[in-house]
Amino acid sequence: MAEAHEGAFCPVYAAINLLQEKWTLHIIRALLSGPKGFNELARAVGGVNPATLSQRLEHLVQVGVVEKRVESHMPPRTRYQLTEAGRELEAVVAAIERWAKAHLKTPVF
């Protein structure tokens, strides 16, 4: 497996660092079913505190995985959805699901 070496960019290392952040894959998985508002997303993810969710969403927007849209209603509503890059992670989530079904017979917490 490739590792990051003194300033050299390793895409695998960078992707693992992004996806290993707590709640990140849960957020991506929840958004695979379509756009969600902040509270709807928090309920779909379950257990994440609002500050952490906000921080993760901000980071995912910054790296181009999630798009944030502010709708012009009163009060303004914010909707989050996956970008094309984010939707490509569906294959990653599906691979994790296949592996878990094959190898995890009881819940691991």
Side-chain angles (χ1 to χ4, degrees):
M1 175 91 20
E3 295 180 24
H5 294 287
E6 299 179 22
F9 177 73
C10 174
V12 173
Y13 187 87
I16 289 171
N17 274 344
L18 172 66
L19 298 176
Q20 77 176 350
E21 289 181 348
K22 189 169 185 178
W23 302 110
T24 296
L25 279 171
H26 295 284
I27 293 166
I28 291 166
R29 182 174 178 241
L31 289 174
L32 284 171
S33 62
K36 292 184 177 29
F38 186 87
N39 292 331
E40 182 183 10
L41 185 55
R43 285 189 299 277
V45 170
V48 61
N49 77 47
T52 301
L53 179 57
S54 180
Q55 183 181 55
R56 292 298 179 271
L57 285 167
E58 184 178 316
H59 188 216
L60 290 169
V61 167
Q62 182 182 31
V63 298
V65 172
V66 170
E67 178 181 40
K68 176 181 177 178
R69 289 191 179 175
V70 179
E71 297 175 352
S72 58
H73 300 292
M74 284 309 281
R77 289 183 38 147
T78 303
R79 305 281 291 168
Y80 295 91
Q81 66 184 30
L82 294 174
T83 61
E84 183 177 334
R87 286 188 301 277
E88 288 180 19
L89 288 168
E90 185 170 12
V92 174
V93 173
I96 291 169
E97 180 180 22
R98 281 191 306 278
W99 180 88
K101 285 180 176 178
H103 300 287
L104 299 177
K105 302 304 178 196
T106 59
V108 178
F109 297 99

